[in-house]
Amino acid sequence: MRWPPRSGVLRAKQRANLSFFIFIIFFVVFGMIMFTELLRVDLRGLPMKSHYDSQSWDTRTESGVEAEPPPPAHAPQDAVWQPVAGTRFKFLVYSAFAEKRTVAAIRIIATTKTRVADRVVCRLWMPNNTTYTLKAKVKAIRENWSMKYSATFVLCLLRDSGLRPDDTVGASVAVVTAAMPNQPPTNLLVVRSTDPKPGIEGTLHVCVKPLHYSYSSHDWFIEWFELNRLLGVSHFYLYNDSLSASVSCLLRDYRRDGLVTLLPWTTRPFNNQVDIRTENQFAAFNDCLYRSMPAAGWLLLIDIDELALPRRERTLGALLAAVRASYRAPAKPPSALLFRNAFFYRMWEDDKDAPYPLHTSLKTRRRAQPQGLKNRSKYAVRPQDAVELGNHFIWEMMPGAIATGIPTERALLHHYRKACEFGGSSCLTNPSTVDRTAHRWADELHTRVTAMTKRHAFKCSHTDRTYNQSSYKTRLDQNRP
Protein backbone atom coordinates (compact mmCIF):
# COMPACT_ATOMS: atom_id res chain seq x y z
CA MET A 1 0.00 0.00 0.00
CA ARG A 2 1.38 3.32 -0.95
CA TRP A 3 1.12 6.26 1.44
CA PRO A 4 -0.18 9.45 0.06
CA PRO A 5 2.48 12.06 -0.47
CA ARG A 6 1.10 14.17 2.43
CA SER A 7 1.98 11.48 5.03
CA GLY A 8 5.69 11.58 4.07
CA VAL A 9 5.81 15.30 4.60
CA LEU A 10 4.28 14.92 8.08
CA ARG A 11 6.88 12.31 9.10
CA ALA A 12 9.71 14.59 7.96
CA LYS A 13 8.31 17.47 10.01
CA GLN A 14 8.03 15.24 13.10
CA ARG A 15 11.68 14.19 12.80
CA ALA A 16 12.76 17.83 12.41
CA ASN A 17 10.74 18.85 15.50
CA LEU A 18 12.29 16.02 17.53
CA SER A 19 15.81 17.06 16.51
CA PHE A 20 15.08 20.67 17.43
CA PHE A 21 13.67 19.58 20.84
CA ILE A 22 16.79 17.50 21.58
CA PHE A 23 18.94 20.49 20.54
CA ILE A 24 17.06 22.79 22.97
CA ILE A 25 17.29 20.28 25.83
CA PHE A 26 21.06 20.01 25.31
CA PHE A 27 21.58 23.76 25.59
CA VAL A 28 19.29 24.03 28.62
CA VAL A 29 21.28 21.34 30.45
CA PHE A 30 24.58 22.94 29.38
CA GLY A 31 23.37 26.36 30.53
CA MET A 32 22.32 25.01 33.93
CA ILE A 33 25.75 23.45 34.42
CA MET A 34 27.51 26.69 33.54
CA PHE A 35 25.19 28.76 35.77
CA THR A 36 25.85 26.42 38.70
CA GLU A 37 29.61 26.75 38.23
CA LEU A 38 29.41 30.55 38.02
CA LEU A 39 27.21 30.72 41.10
CA ARG A 40 29.64 28.53 43.03
CA VAL A 41 32.57 30.85 42.15
CA ASP A 42 30.55 33.96 42.90
CA LEU A 43 29.69 32.73 46.39
CA ARG A 44 33.35 33.05 47.28
CA GLY A 45 32.95 36.85 47.36
CA LEU A 46 30.00 36.90 49.80
CA PRO A 47 30.63 38.10 53.37
CA MET A 48 30.97 35.47 56.10
CA LYS A 49 28.51 36.67 58.71
CA SER A 50 29.58 34.37 61.52
CA HIS A 51 32.75 33.68 63.48
CA TYR A 52 35.03 30.68 63.82
CA ASP A 53 32.09 28.41 64.72
CA SER A 54 30.28 29.37 61.51
CA GLN A 55 28.96 26.77 59.09
CA SER A 56 29.47 29.27 56.28
CA TRP A 57 30.78 27.95 52.97
CA ASP A 58 33.85 30.19 53.28
CA THR A 59 35.18 28.30 56.31
CA ARG A 60 34.96 24.79 54.80
CA THR A 61 37.63 22.86 53.01
CA GLU A 62 36.80 21.15 49.71
CA SER A 63 36.03 17.95 51.62
CA GLY A 64 33.36 19.79 53.62
CA VAL A 65 35.26 19.62 56.95
CA GLU A 66 35.08 22.82 58.99
CA ALA A 67 38.37 24.81 58.87
CA GLU A 68 39.40 28.01 60.59
CA PRO A 69 40.57 30.89 58.41
CA PRO A 70 44.38 30.97 58.21
CA PRO A 71 46.14 33.19 60.76
CA PRO A 72 47.95 36.38 59.69
CA ALA A 73 51.42 35.87 58.27
CA HIS A 74 52.92 38.73 60.31
CA ALA A 75 52.06 41.55 62.68
CA PRO A 76 49.82 44.28 61.26
CA GLN A 77 51.64 47.21 59.67
CA ASP A 78 50.78 50.74 58.64
CA ALA A 79 52.15 52.83 55.78
CA VAL A 80 53.99 49.93 54.13
CA TRP A 81 53.15 48.69 50.62
CA GLN A 82 52.18 45.01 50.88
CA PRO A 83 51.17 42.63 48.06
CA VAL A 84 47.91 40.76 47.57
CA ALA A 85 48.93 37.29 46.41
CA GLY A 86 47.14 35.25 43.76
CA THR A 87 45.73 38.12 41.70
CA ARG A 88 46.04 38.26 37.92
CA PHE A 89 47.33 41.84 38.05
CA LYS A 90 49.60 43.69 40.46
CA PHE A 91 47.69 44.56 43.62
CA LEU A 92 49.24 46.29 46.66
CA VAL A 93 47.74 47.79 49.84
CA TYR A 94 49.20 50.57 52.03
CA SER A 95 46.93 51.72 54.87
CA ALA A 96 43.48 51.16 56.36
CA PHE A 97 41.01 53.57 57.99
CA ALA A 98 37.61 53.25 59.65
CA GLU A 99 34.98 54.79 57.34
CA LYS A 100 31.55 55.74 58.69
CA ARG A 101 30.61 58.90 56.78
CA THR A 102 29.81 57.51 53.33
CA VAL A 103 29.27 53.83 54.15
CA ALA A 104 29.97 51.51 57.08
CA ALA A 105 33.31 50.11 55.96
CA ILE A 106 37.06 49.93 56.31
CA ARG A 107 38.66 52.11 53.64
CA ILE A 108 41.98 50.76 52.35
CA ILE A 109 44.44 52.78 50.26
CA ALA A 110 45.64 50.47 47.50
CA THR A 111 47.02 50.34 43.97
CA THR A 112 45.90 47.96 41.25
CA LYS A 113 44.47 47.67 37.73
CA THR A 114 42.48 50.75 36.75
CA ARG A 115 39.77 48.83 34.92
CA VAL A 116 38.45 45.31 35.51
CA ALA A 117 40.49 44.82 38.67
CA ASP A 118 40.72 41.46 40.41
CA ARG A 119 37.88 40.57 42.73
CA VAL A 120 38.96 40.49 46.36
CA VAL A 121 37.51 40.01 49.83
CA CYS A 122 38.68 41.39 53.18
CA ARG A 123 39.64 39.23 56.15
CA LEU A 124 39.24 41.06 59.48
CA TRP A 125 40.78 39.97 62.78
CA MET A 126 39.25 41.65 65.81
CA PRO A 127 41.24 42.17 69.05
CA ASN A 128 39.27 39.33 70.69
CA ASN A 129 40.43 36.95 67.90
CA THR A 130 37.02 36.88 66.23
CA THR A 131 37.38 36.73 62.46
CA TYR A 132 35.13 38.07 59.71
CA THR A 133 35.26 37.77 55.95
CA LEU A 134 33.82 40.89 54.33
CA LYS A 135 32.71 41.67 50.82
CA ALA A 136 35.03 44.21 49.17
CA LYS A 137 34.36 46.95 46.65
CA VAL A 138 37.33 48.05 44.53
CA LYS A 139 37.08 51.62 43.25
CA ALA A 140 39.80 53.33 41.20
CA ILE A 141 40.59 56.89 42.29
CA ARG A 142 39.36 59.06 39.46
CA GLU A 143 42.53 61.00 38.68
CA ASN A 144 44.42 58.15 37.01
CA TRP A 145 45.03 59.58 33.50
CA SER A 146 43.65 56.31 32.07
CA MET A 147 46.90 54.51 32.83
CA LYS A 148 46.96 50.75 33.33
CA TYR A 149 47.28 51.02 37.12
CA SER A 150 45.68 53.47 39.49
CA ALA A 151 45.56 54.55 43.11
CA THR A 152 42.53 52.71 44.43
CA PHE A 153 40.11 52.53 47.34
CA VAL A 154 39.19 49.08 48.63
CA LEU A 155 36.05 49.35 50.75
CA CYS A 156 35.62 46.40 53.12
CA LEU A 157 31.86 46.55 53.67
CA LEU A 158 30.63 45.96 57.23
CA ARG A 159 26.98 45.41 56.39
CA ASP A 160 25.68 42.01 57.57
CA SER A 161 28.66 41.69 59.93
CA GLY A 162 27.03 43.31 62.98
CA LEU A 163 30.10 45.55 63.33
CA ARG A 164 30.26 49.33 63.43
CA PRO A 165 33.23 51.17 61.93
CA ASP A 166 34.38 52.29 65.40
CA ASP A 167 34.53 48.62 66.46
CA THR A 168 37.24 47.94 63.86
CA VAL A 169 39.74 50.56 65.08
CA GLY A 170 42.89 48.74 66.18
CA ALA A 171 41.84 45.53 64.43
CA SER A 172 43.86 43.88 61.65
CA VAL A 173 42.61 43.61 58.09
CA ALA A 174 43.98 41.79 55.05
CA VAL A 175 42.93 41.80 51.40
CA VAL A 176 42.85 38.39 49.72
CA THR A 177 41.82 37.29 46.25
CA ALA A 178 38.21 36.13 45.98
CA ALA A 179 39.36 33.19 43.86
CA MET A 180 41.27 31.72 46.85
CA PRO A 181 39.77 33.31 49.97
CA ASN A 182 41.20 30.73 52.38
CA GLN A 183 44.84 31.15 51.46
CA PRO A 184 47.11 32.74 54.12
CA PRO A 185 47.17 36.53 53.62
CA THR A 186 50.34 38.18 52.33
CA ASN A 187 49.35 41.58 53.75
CA LEU A 188 48.07 42.81 57.08
CA LEU A 189 47.11 46.38 57.98
CA VAL A 190 46.10 47.97 61.26
CA VAL A 191 42.81 49.89 61.06
CA ARG A 192 43.26 53.55 62.04
CA SER A 193 40.66 55.88 63.50
CA THR A 194 39.35 58.87 61.53
CA ASP A 195 37.48 60.52 64.42
CA PRO A 196 38.56 64.17 64.90
CA LYS A 197 40.05 65.01 68.28
CA PRO A 198 38.70 67.93 70.31
CA GLY A 199 40.19 71.38 69.73
CA ILE A 200 41.52 70.91 66.19
CA GLU A 201 39.17 73.37 64.46
CA GLY A 202 41.85 75.93 63.58
CA THR A 203 44.84 73.64 63.07
CA LEU A 204 46.47 73.61 59.64
CA HIS A 205 48.51 70.70 58.29
CA VAL A 206 50.33 70.37 54.96
CA CYS A 207 50.42 67.37 52.63
CA VAL A 208 53.08 67.06 49.90
CA LYS A 209 53.32 64.57 47.06
CA PRO A 210 56.11 61.94 47.30
CA LEU A 211 59.66 63.30 47.33
CA HIS A 212 61.71 61.47 44.70
CA TYR A 213 64.87 61.46 42.56
CA SER A 214 66.97 61.80 45.74
CA TYR A 215 65.45 65.18 46.53
CA SER A 216 68.35 67.40 47.62
CA SER A 217 67.28 71.07 47.72
CA HIS A 218 68.32 71.45 51.35
CA ASP A 219 68.45 75.26 51.52
CA TRP A 220 65.16 75.78 49.72
CA PHE A 221 63.53 73.13 51.88
CA ILE A 222 64.44 75.05 55.05
CA GLU A 223 63.05 78.26 53.58
CA TRP A 224 59.86 76.56 52.37
CA PHE A 225 59.39 74.79 55.68
CA GLU A 226 59.98 77.86 57.85
CA LEU A 227 57.76 80.15 55.78
CA ASN A 228 54.94 77.62 56.02
CA ARG A 229 55.42 77.59 59.78
CA LEU A 230 55.18 81.39 59.82
CA LEU A 231 51.94 81.00 57.88
CA GLY A 232 50.53 78.86 60.68
CA VAL A 233 51.23 75.29 59.56
CA SER A 234 51.74 73.05 62.58
CA HIS A 235 52.43 69.68 60.94
CA PHE A 236 53.68 68.25 57.63
CA TYR A 237 53.00 64.85 55.97
CA LEU A 238 55.81 63.83 53.63
CA TYR A 239 56.22 60.64 51.57
CA ASN A 240 59.80 59.47 51.03
CA ASP A 241 60.56 57.75 47.75
CA SER A 242 64.19 58.93 47.84
CA LEU A 243 66.00 61.76 49.64
CA SER A 244 69.57 63.04 49.72
CA ALA A 245 71.63 62.60 52.88
CA SER A 246 71.40 66.29 53.77
CA VAL A 247 67.60 66.48 53.45
CA SER A 248 67.26 63.20 55.36
CA CYS A 249 69.31 64.65 58.20
CA LEU A 250 67.23 67.82 58.15
CA LEU A 251 63.98 65.86 58.35
CA ARG A 252 65.25 63.76 61.25
CA ASP A 253 65.60 66.97 63.23
CA TYR A 254 62.13 68.24 62.29
CA ARG A 255 60.66 64.85 63.16
CA ARG A 256 62.24 64.97 66.61
CA ASP A 257 60.40 68.26 67.11
CA GLY A 258 57.12 66.51 66.24
CA LEU A 259 56.59 68.65 63.14
CA VAL A 260 56.84 65.98 60.44
CA THR A 261 55.27 62.63 59.69
CA LEU A 262 57.67 61.02 57.20
CA LEU A 263 56.23 57.94 55.55
CA PRO A 264 58.06 55.39 53.36
CA TRP A 265 56.99 55.34 49.72
CA THR A 266 57.87 53.53 46.53
CA THR A 267 56.37 53.04 43.08
CA ARG A 268 57.81 49.54 42.78
CA PRO A 269 56.73 47.19 41.24
CA PHE A 270 54.91 49.71 39.03
CA ASN A 271 56.73 51.42 36.19
CA ASN A 272 56.45 55.11 37.07
CA GLN A 273 54.89 57.29 34.34
CA VAL A 274 54.31 54.19 32.20
CA ASP A 275 52.11 51.96 34.38
CA ILE A 276 51.03 54.63 36.83
CA ARG A 277 50.87 58.43 37.18
CA THR A 278 53.67 60.44 38.82
CA GLU A 279 55.03 58.51 41.81
CA ASN A 280 51.52 57.20 42.49
CA GLN A 281 50.85 60.59 44.06
CA PHE A 282 47.07 60.20 44.22
CA ALA A 283 47.42 57.30 46.64
CA ALA A 284 49.62 59.56 48.80
CA PHE A 285 47.13 62.44 48.70
CA ASN A 286 44.25 60.25 49.83
CA ASP A 287 46.29 58.44 52.47
CA CYS A 288 47.18 61.90 53.79
CA LEU A 289 43.51 62.92 53.80
CA TYR A 290 42.39 60.04 56.00
CA ARG A 291 45.56 59.97 58.11
CA SER A 292 45.16 63.66 58.99
CA MET A 293 41.46 63.51 59.93
CA PRO A 294 41.95 63.01 63.69
CA ALA A 295 44.34 65.97 64.05
CA ALA A 296 43.83 68.52 61.24
CA GLY A 297 41.08 71.12 61.09
CA TRP A 298 42.41 72.12 57.65
CA LEU A 299 44.66 70.26 55.22
CA LEU A 300 46.66 72.24 52.64
CA LEU A 301 47.84 70.34 49.55
CA ILE A 302 50.82 72.00 47.88
CA ASP A 303 54.02 70.91 46.15
CA ILE A 304 57.48 71.53 47.50
CA ASP A 305 57.97 74.38 44.99
CA GLU A 306 54.73 76.15 45.94
CA LEU A 307 53.60 78.53 48.67
CA ALA A 308 50.04 79.72 49.34
CA LEU A 309 50.42 83.33 50.48
CA PRO A 310 47.62 85.53 51.85
CA ARG A 311 47.76 89.15 50.73
CA ARG A 312 46.05 90.74 53.74
CA GLU A 313 46.27 88.37 56.70
CA ARG A 314 49.54 87.23 58.23
CA THR A 315 48.57 83.57 58.47
CA LEU A 316 46.63 81.12 56.38
CA GLY A 317 44.50 80.20 59.38
CA ALA A 318 43.33 83.80 59.67
CA LEU A 319 42.58 83.88 55.94
CA LEU A 320 40.56 80.66 55.99
CA ALA A 321 38.59 81.78 59.03
CA ALA A 322 37.88 85.20 57.49
CA VAL A 323 36.67 83.74 54.20
CA ARG A 324 34.33 81.30 55.95
CA ALA A 325 33.03 84.03 58.26
CA SER A 326 32.09 86.16 55.26
CA TYR A 327 29.34 83.67 54.35
CA ARG A 328 26.11 84.59 56.11
CA ALA A 329 23.19 82.25 56.68
CA PRO A 330 21.46 80.72 54.86
CA ALA A 331 24.60 80.49 52.70
CA LYS A 332 26.82 77.63 53.80
CA PRO A 333 30.53 78.41 54.32
CA PRO A 334 32.85 76.48 51.99
CA SER A 335 34.71 73.40 53.18
CA ALA A 336 37.47 73.79 50.56
CA LEU A 337 39.19 76.91 49.25
CA LEU A 338 41.19 76.90 46.02
CA PHE A 339 44.25 79.10 45.44
CA ARG A 340 44.83 80.22 41.86
CA ASN A 341 48.29 79.45 40.50
CA ALA A 342 50.83 82.09 39.40
CA PHE A 343 54.21 81.08 37.97
CA PHE A 344 57.30 82.80 39.36
CA TYR A 345 59.80 81.51 36.76
CA ARG A 346 63.24 81.09 38.22
CA MET A 347 64.89 82.08 34.92
CA TRP A 348 63.65 85.63 35.39
CA GLU A 349 66.04 88.15 36.93
CA ASP A 350 66.50 88.52 40.67
CA ASP A 351 64.83 91.39 42.47
CA LYS A 352 67.46 94.11 43.03
CA ASP A 353 65.50 95.32 46.04
CA ALA A 354 65.46 91.93 47.76
CA PRO A 355 66.13 92.50 51.48
CA TYR A 356 67.82 89.10 51.91
CA PRO A 357 69.22 86.39 49.62
CA LEU A 358 66.17 84.24 50.21
CA HIS A 359 64.54 82.59 47.25
CA THR A 360 61.18 84.18 48.05
CA SER A 361 62.82 87.60 48.32
CA LEU A 362 64.82 87.31 45.10
CA LYS A 363 62.16 85.82 42.83
CA THR A 364 59.34 88.34 42.74
CA ARG A 365 58.53 88.50 39.02
CA ARG A 366 55.53 86.40 38.03
CA ARG A 367 53.15 85.96 35.13
CA ALA A 368 50.68 88.81 35.21
CA GLN A 369 47.63 86.62 34.69
CA PRO A 370 47.14 83.79 37.22
CA GLN A 371 45.68 80.59 35.86
CA GLY A 372 42.04 79.64 36.25
CA LEU A 373 40.58 77.56 39.03
CA LYS A 374 41.28 73.82 38.73
CA ASN A 375 44.13 74.61 36.33
CA ARG A 376 47.27 74.17 38.45
CA SER A 377 45.37 75.49 41.46
CA LYS A 378 45.95 74.00 44.93
CA TYR A 379 43.62 74.00 47.88
CA ALA A 380 42.95 73.89 51.60
CA VAL A 381 40.20 71.49 52.67
CA ARG A 382 38.50 70.44 55.87
CA PRO A 383 39.37 66.71 55.95
CA GLN A 384 36.10 65.59 57.50
CA ASP A 385 34.21 67.12 54.57
CA ALA A 386 36.24 65.42 51.81
CA VAL A 387 36.02 61.91 50.37
CA GLU A 388 38.45 61.81 47.43
CA LEU A 389 41.28 64.24 46.68
CA GLY A 390 42.89 65.13 43.38
CA ASN A 391 45.96 67.19 42.56
CA HIS A 392 44.36 70.54 41.67
CA PHE A 393 40.85 70.13 43.09
CA ILE A 394 38.69 67.80 45.21
CA TRP A 395 36.97 65.04 43.25
CA GLU A 396 34.34 64.19 45.86
CA MET A 397 33.09 65.97 48.96
CA MET A 398 30.47 65.05 51.51
CA PRO A 399 26.87 65.89 50.60
CA GLY A 400 26.24 69.59 51.15
CA ALA A 401 29.95 70.51 51.37
CA ILE A 402 31.16 72.99 48.76
CA ALA A 403 34.47 74.26 47.36
CA THR A 404 35.12 77.76 46.07
CA GLY A 405 38.02 79.83 44.81
CA ILE A 406 39.78 82.50 46.86
CA PRO A 407 39.86 85.87 45.04
CA THR A 408 43.36 86.73 43.82
CA GLU A 409 43.28 89.97 45.81
CA ARG A 410 43.05 87.84 48.97
CA ALA A 411 45.61 85.10 48.23
CA LEU A 412 47.67 83.50 45.48
CA LEU A 413 49.63 80.31 44.94
CA HIS A 414 53.27 81.25 44.33
CA HIS A 415 54.69 78.55 42.07
CA TYR A 416 58.49 78.83 41.82
CA ARG A 417 58.95 76.83 38.66
CA LYS A 418 62.32 75.93 37.21
CA ALA A 419 61.24 75.73 33.56
CA CYS A 420 58.32 76.61 31.32
CA GLU A 421 55.44 74.22 31.84
CA PHE A 422 55.43 73.18 28.16
CA GLY A 423 59.18 73.24 27.61
CA GLY A 424 61.31 75.80 25.80
CA SER A 425 61.29 79.45 26.83
CA SER A 426 58.15 80.73 25.11
CA CYS A 427 56.46 81.27 28.49
CA LEU A 428 58.97 84.01 29.29
CA THR A 429 57.39 86.24 26.68
CA ASN A 430 54.09 86.28 28.55
CA PRO A 431 53.18 89.56 30.28
CA SER A 432 54.69 89.69 33.77
CA THR A 433 54.56 91.79 36.89
CA VAL A 434 56.57 92.21 40.09
CA ASP A 435 54.84 90.80 43.15
CA ARG A 436 56.62 91.37 46.47
CA THR A 437 53.97 89.79 48.70
CA ALA A 438 56.58 87.38 50.12
CA HIS A 439 58.64 90.32 51.41
CA ARG A 440 56.03 90.74 54.16
CA TRP A 441 57.61 87.78 56.00
CA ALA A 442 61.23 88.42 54.93
CA ASP A 443 62.57 89.67 58.29
CA GLU A 444 61.12 86.83 60.35
CA LEU A 445 61.97 84.29 57.67
CA HIS A 446 65.60 85.47 57.47
CA THR A 447 65.95 85.05 61.22
CA ARG A 448 64.45 81.57 61.17
CA VAL A 449 66.44 80.36 58.16
CA THR A 450 69.67 81.65 59.70
CA ALA A 451 69.01 79.85 62.98
CA MET A 452 67.85 76.60 61.41
CA THR A 453 70.71 76.48 58.92
CA LYS A 454 73.24 76.86 61.75
CA ARG A 455 71.42 74.27 63.82
CA HIS A 456 71.46 71.69 61.07
CA ALA A 457 75.03 72.49 60.09
CA PHE A 458 76.00 71.50 63.62
CA LYS A 459 73.91 68.32 63.62
CA CYS A 460 74.63 67.18 60.06
CA SER A 461 78.38 66.70 60.03
CA HIS A 462 78.49 65.63 56.37
CA THR A 463 78.22 69.21 55.12
CA ASP A 464 78.80 72.77 56.18
CA ARG A 465 75.55 74.73 56.42
CA THR A 466 76.90 78.02 57.76
CA TYR A 467 74.50 80.71 56.62
CA ASN A 468 75.67 84.00 55.17
CA GLN A 469 74.39 86.03 52.28
CA SER A 470 77.07 85.10 49.76
CA SER A 471 77.19 81.37 50.53
CA TYR A 472 73.41 81.06 50.63
CA LYS A 473 73.07 82.92 47.33
CA THR A 474 75.67 80.63 45.70
CA ARG A 475 73.93 77.46 46.88
CA LEU A 476 70.58 78.87 45.87
CA ASP A 477 71.84 79.36 42.32
CA GLN A 478 73.35 75.88 42.21
CA ASN A 479 70.62 73.89 43.92
CA ARG A 480 67.28 75.52 43.35
CA PRO A 481 64.18 73.31 43.54
Side-chain angles (χ1 to χ4, degrees), residues 9-24:
V9 173
L10 288 174
R11 284 205 306 274
K13 287 184 177 180
Q14 288 174 348
R15 286 196 297 271
N17 289 339
L18 181 62
S19 299
F20 180 76
F21 180 75
I22 294 172
F23 180 81
I24 293 298

Side-chain angles (χ1 to χ4, degrees), residues 5-6 34 57 99 101 106 153 157 166 170 229 239 260 293 299 308 312 337 358 362 367 404 415 420 426 440 447 475:
R6 183 176 179 82
M34 293 300 297
W57 185 91
E99 173 62 271
R101 303 167 309 153
I106 298 169
F153 291 132
L157 303 175
D166 287 341
R229 292 185 66 191
Y239 294 81
V260 169
M293 280 185 182
L299 184 66
R312 299 179 189 174
L337 296 167
L358 298 165
L362 292 166
R367 288 182 62 171
T404 190
H415 193 162
C420 295
S426 59
R440 297 174 59 209
T447 300
R475 291 198 305 273

Side-chain angles (χ1 to χ4, degrees), residues 124-238:
L124 178 66
W125 284 267
M126 299 297 288
N128 63 359
N129 292 325
T130 303
T131 303
Y132 296 81
T133 298
L134 307 171
K135 186 175 181 180
K137 179 180 179 181
V138 180
K139 179 181 181 295
I141 289 173
R142 277 165 275 201
E143 198 160 344
N144 53 59
W145 292 59
S146 298
M147 290 189 168
K148 182 177 181 179
Y149 289 94
S150 172
T152 303
F153 291 132
V154 176
L155 291 172
C156 306
L157 303 175
L158 296 177
R159 63 172 180 257
D160 302 325
S161 70
L163 295 171
R164 300 170 302 170
D166 287 341
D167 298 334
T168 67
V169 174
S172 303
V173 64
V175 177
V176 297
T177 175
M180 295 180 288
N182 288 320
Q183 69 175 349
T186 53
N187 59 85
L188 197 63
L189 301 165
V190 61
V191 181
R192 298 175 60 94
S193 173
T194 53
D195 284 341
K197 298 175 182 176
I200 66 169
E201 182 69 20
T203 57
L204 175 63
H205 292 183
V206 159
C207 179
V208 179
K209 73 179 184 181
L211 300 171
H212 56 283
Y213 298 152
S214 296
Y215 182 81
S216 60
S217 298
H218 180 283
D219 295 314
W220 164 250
F221 190 88
I222 292 179
E223 184 177 342
W224 177 89
F225 199 97
E226 294 303 324
L227 183 47
N228 272 301
R229 292 185 66 191
L230 285 172
L231 292 169
V233 176
S234 59
H235 198 80
F236 299 79
Y237 300 88
L238 304 175

Side-chain angles (χ1 to χ4, degrees), residues 209-390:
K209 73 179 184 181
L211 300 171
H212 56 283
Y213 298 152
S214 296
Y215 182 81
S216 60
S217 298
H218 180 283
D219 295 314
W220 164 250
F221 190 88
I222 292 179
E223 184 177 342
W224 177 89
F225 199 97
E226 294 303 324
L227 183 47
N228 272 301
R229 292 185 66 191
L230 285 172
L231 292 169
V233 176
S234 59
H235 198 80
F236 299 79
Y237 300 88
L238 304 175
Y239 294 81
N240 175 19
D241 180 67
S242 60
L243 297 171
S244 68
S246 62
V247 173
S248 295
C249 179
L250 172 67
L251 285 175
R252 281 196 297 272
D253 211 15
Y254 280 129
R255 291 173 69 191
R256 281 193 291 266
D257 292 339
L259 297 171
V260 169
T261 296
L262 183 63
L263 301 162
W265 197 257
T266 180
T267 57
R268 295 183 297 272
F270 305 101
N271 190 354
N272 186 47
Q273 294 293 69
V274 176
D275 287 341
I276 198 164
R277 183 63 179 166
T278 314
E279 284 73 45
N280 199 8
Q281 61 183 359
F282 304 110
F285 292 155
N286 286 280
D287 173 83
C288 189
L289 169 65
Y290 288 91
R291 189 174 297 275
S292 69
M293 280 185 182
W298 286 93
L299 184 66
L300 175 65
L301 267 78
I302 54 174
D303 287 347
I304 204 71
D305 60 352
E306 298 170 339
L307 289 161
L309 297 185
R311 303 176 77 82
R312 299 179 189 174
E313 293 81 6
R314 293 289 294 178
T315 68
L316 286 168
L319 168 69
L320 298 173
V323 172
R324 279 176 59 87
S326 67
Y327 284 74
R328 304 297 182 185
K332 186 173 183 179
S335 295
L337 296 167
L338 280 67
F339 298 85
R340 290 178 64 180
N341 176 80
F343 285 117
F344 289 67
Y345 292 117
R346 299 197 331 238
M347 302 86 76
W348 274 326
E349 75 282 359
D350 291 343
D351 190 333
K352 295 179 180 178
D353 295 327
Y356 304 103
L358 298 165
H359 189 90
T360 50
S361 293
L362 292 166
K363 295 302 176 184
T364 56
R365 182 167 294 278
R366 66 168 172 85
R367 288 182 62 171
Q369 182 60 42
Q371 292 176 284
L373 291 176
K374 299 187 178 181
N375 181 8
R376 300 278 186 171
S377 57
K378 293 299 172 66
Y379 55 87
V381 62
R382 295 169 65 82
Q384 284 292 331
D385 292 336
V387 178
E388 181 181 334
L389 300 186

Side-chain angles (χ1 to χ4, degrees), residues 82-84 87 89-93 110-112 118 120 138 154 175:
Q82 302 177 60
V84 178
T87 55
F89 304 102
K90 300 170 187 175
F91 203 134
L92 282 81
V93 296
T111 303
T112 190
D118 291 271
V120 293
V138 180
V154 176
V175 177

